[in-house]
Amino acid sequence: SSSSTSSSGSRFSVSTGIACLVKYGDAAGETLSRAERVARYREKRKNRKFEKTIRYASRKAYAEVRPRIKGRFAKKEEVAAWKAAEAAMKAQHVNVGAFHSDMIVPVL
């Protein structure tokens, strides 16, 4: 989309015909000196958070009840195949090293 700047510095979009209330100098920090911009950057950098944040409780609740195999989500068919293979291995009295029933989280 094309836009132009009026003499007052406000932005006007030609394609939509809507004037934005934001002025270039105020929004982009062009009126700030380099030292002020660096200070602002350093202040924002101090407040960064890298912890895991849960944004949607409903998604978390659904993820907790979904069946998993070795930590990844599994489809119902995969869970059925996993259980069948585990039963076959136990029936043959083979070491079940890779197959642990505690790796499968049941669907509630």
Side-chain angles (χ1 to χ4, degrees):
S1 75
S2 61
S3 62
S4 62
T5 306
S6 67
S7 60
S8 65
S10 62
R11 188 174 184 186
F12 180 77
S13 175
V14 176
S15 62
T16 60
I18 300 173
C20 297
L21 298 175
V22 178
K23 297 198 181 261
Y24 278 124
D26 297 337
E30 293 171 341
T31 58
L32 300 175
S33 69
R34 176 166 164 54
E36 290 170 327
R37 284 181 283 165
V38 170
R40 183 172 181 240
Y41 163 76
R42 288 183 177 154
E43 186 64 33
K44 288 176 79 172
R45 187 174 63 179
K46 278 192 248 177
N47 296 328
R48 290 182 187 165
K49 292 182 174 67
F50 294 101
E51 299 90 39
K52 183 178 177 184
T53 58
I54 306 293
R55 293 185 183 158
Y56 301 99
S58 60
R59 290 183 184 177
K60 180 180 186 249
Y62 180 60
E64 288 174 346
V65 299
R66 286 180 66 184
R68 298 174 185 251
I69 297 177
K70 293 186 178 179
R72 65 172 178 79
F73 294 125
K75 296 178 182 175
K76 291 179 183 178
E77 300 83 31
E78 292 174 330
V79 172
W82 183 273
K83 287 181 178 179
E86 184 181 30
M89 294 293 279
K90 284 183 180 179
Q92 294 177 358
H93 301 292
V94 176
N95 185 0
V96 191
F99 295 93
H100 296 287
S101 61
D102 57 64
M103 288 185 179
I104 299 176
V105 177
V107 178
L108 299 175

